[in-house]
């Protein structure tokens, strides 16, 4: 799957989350996503960017414009070198939280995007890859 | 919250028409404000939610329970002046 453009954005502070939302919005607009789809993508980006900071101790978001010929999409990848997710299935349940949040970040983001994959190793970090096709 | 006490307010109106995204963090903040206001005897109405935000919130799984919503500020104010039928609330009668 060819990425026609990509960008890495660091995630360390609240300002970085704001910037991540802005970047996701810009790229979604450029790809021609509808307003509702833009909002879903930006909301998912916001949830996952905040998770990267809160649970992963910071990391990065990679944006990629995908072109498969018949369809185009936006891939967002969130990576951290934090403690990792021990039980991914449990982490994906609505309402499950290790912190003070609502436990909707992961499960909700998965519903907002077309594709969603987590790879995580205890002690090594977490990578979450999401795609929204249009 | 001090303002609710000082003015004996019975209603809190939060207008979010300027927000193009509401994630679970903002949603939780709104829910917390509503919960605190309720304990102080005031009801909270959220107004001006954009349709795309509403659609996204439902899919995200955020229901904003215990928070009433209205299309715009005027309707929100009208709502606060009527008692909440669901709770037999204590809003002021006009």
């Amino acid at each position: 799957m060819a990425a026609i453009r990509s960008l890495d954005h660091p995630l360390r502070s609240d300002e970085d989350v704001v910037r991540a939302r802005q970047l996701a919005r810009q790229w979604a607009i450029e790809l021609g996503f509808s307003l509702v789809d833009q909002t879903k993508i930006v909301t998912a980006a916001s949830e996952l960017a905040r998770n990267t900071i809160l649970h992963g101790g910071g990391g990065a978001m990679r944006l990629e414009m995908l072109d498969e010929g018949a369809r185009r999409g936006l891939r967002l990848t969130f990576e951290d070198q934090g403690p990792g997710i021990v039980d991914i299935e449990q982490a994906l349940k609505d309402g499950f939280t290790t912190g003070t949040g609502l436990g909707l970040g992961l499960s909700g983001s998965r519903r907002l995007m077309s594709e969603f994959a987590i790879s995580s190793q205890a002690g090594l970090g977490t990578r979450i890859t999401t795609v929204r096709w249009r | 919250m001090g303002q609710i006490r000082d003015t004996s307010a019975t209603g809190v109106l939060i207008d979010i028409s300027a927000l193009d995204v509401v994630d679970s963090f903002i949603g939780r903040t709104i829910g917390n404000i509503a919960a605190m206001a309720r304990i102080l005897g005031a009801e909270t109405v959220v107004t001006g939610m954009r349709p795309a935000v509403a659609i996204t919130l439902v899919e995200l799984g955020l229901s904003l329970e215990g928070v009433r919503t209205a299309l715009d500020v005027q309707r929100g104010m009208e709502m606060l002046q009527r008692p909440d039928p669901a709770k037999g609330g204590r809003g002021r009668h006009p």
Side-chain angles (χ1 to χ4, degrees):
Chain A
M1 187 186 324
I4 49 180
R5 184 162 22 129
S6 70
L7 175 75
D8 287 317
H9 171 66
L11 293 170
R12 300 271 163 219
S13 63
D14 285 348
E15 289 74 42
D16 291 337
V17 177
V18 174
R19 183 75 189 126
R21 280 199 291 263
Q22 291 167 347
L23 284 168
R25 172 82 64 183
Q26 279 169 16
W27 286 50
I29 289 172
E30 268 189 64
L31 278 159
F33 280 102
S34 70
L35 180 61
V36 170
D37 282 349
Q38 288 170 34
T39 308
K40 290 179 180 180
I41 292 166
V42 175
T43 304
S46 186
E47 299 291 343
L48 297 173
R50 202 180 300 281
N51 273 358
T52 300
I53 293 173
L54 284 181
H55 302 294
M61 172 180 82
R62 164 167 285 204
L63 301 107
E64 290 168 290
M65 273 186 197
L66 306 177
D67 193 345
E68 279 195 342
R71 60 177 185 174
R72 300 213 296 167
L74 178 58
R75 179 160 61 203
L76 302 175
T77 307
F78 299 81
E79 220 165 10
D80 66 60
Q81 280 76 50
I85 302 170
V86 178
D87 188 340
I88 291 177
E89 216 169 297
Q90 185 185 41
L92 276 167
K93 280 190 184 132
D94 269 345
F96 175 79
T97 178
T98 54
T100 54
L102 296 168
L104 291 173
L106 280 186
S107 53
S109 303
R110 179 159 71 162
R111 285 191 290 269
L112 294 174
M113 301 295 281
S114 319
E115 291 174 21
F116 190 94
I118 300 182
S119 68
S120 185
Q121 257 190 301
L124 291 176
T126 300
R127 184 172 63 233
I128 297 178
T129 308
T130 66
V131 183
R132 181 89 200 185
W133 295 105
R134 59 160 307 238
Chain B
M1 293 303 130
Q3 288 277 315
I4 293 179
R5 185 197 58 208
D6 295 345
T7 63
S8 308
T10 56
V12 174
L13 187 142
I14 305 173
D15 184 61
I16 59 166
S17 56
L19 300 185
D20 56 14
V21 166
V22 173
D23 62 5
S24 66
F25 182 79
I26 301 171
R28 179 163 60 114
T29 305
I30 292 172
N32 285 346
I33 292 172
M36 288 186 276
R38 198 177 310 122
I39 291 169
L40 293 172
E43 192 191 334
T44 300
V45 170
V46 170
T47 63
M49 188 185 294
R50 300 180 186 190
V53 170
I55 292 167
T56 301
L57 274 186
V58 169
E59 212 158 305
L60 188 64
L62 202 72
S63 55
L64 288 179
E65 266 171 58
V67 182
R68 298 168 84 196
T69 54
L71 273 181
D72 53 37
V73 171
Q74 192 192 332
R75 287 182 175 87
M77 291 304 284
E78 285 167 10
M79 192 178 263
L80 285 174
Q81 281 156 9
R82 293 191 307 265
D84 181 352
K87 283 183 284 184
R90 55 186 287 268
R92 272 186 292 250
H93 289 277

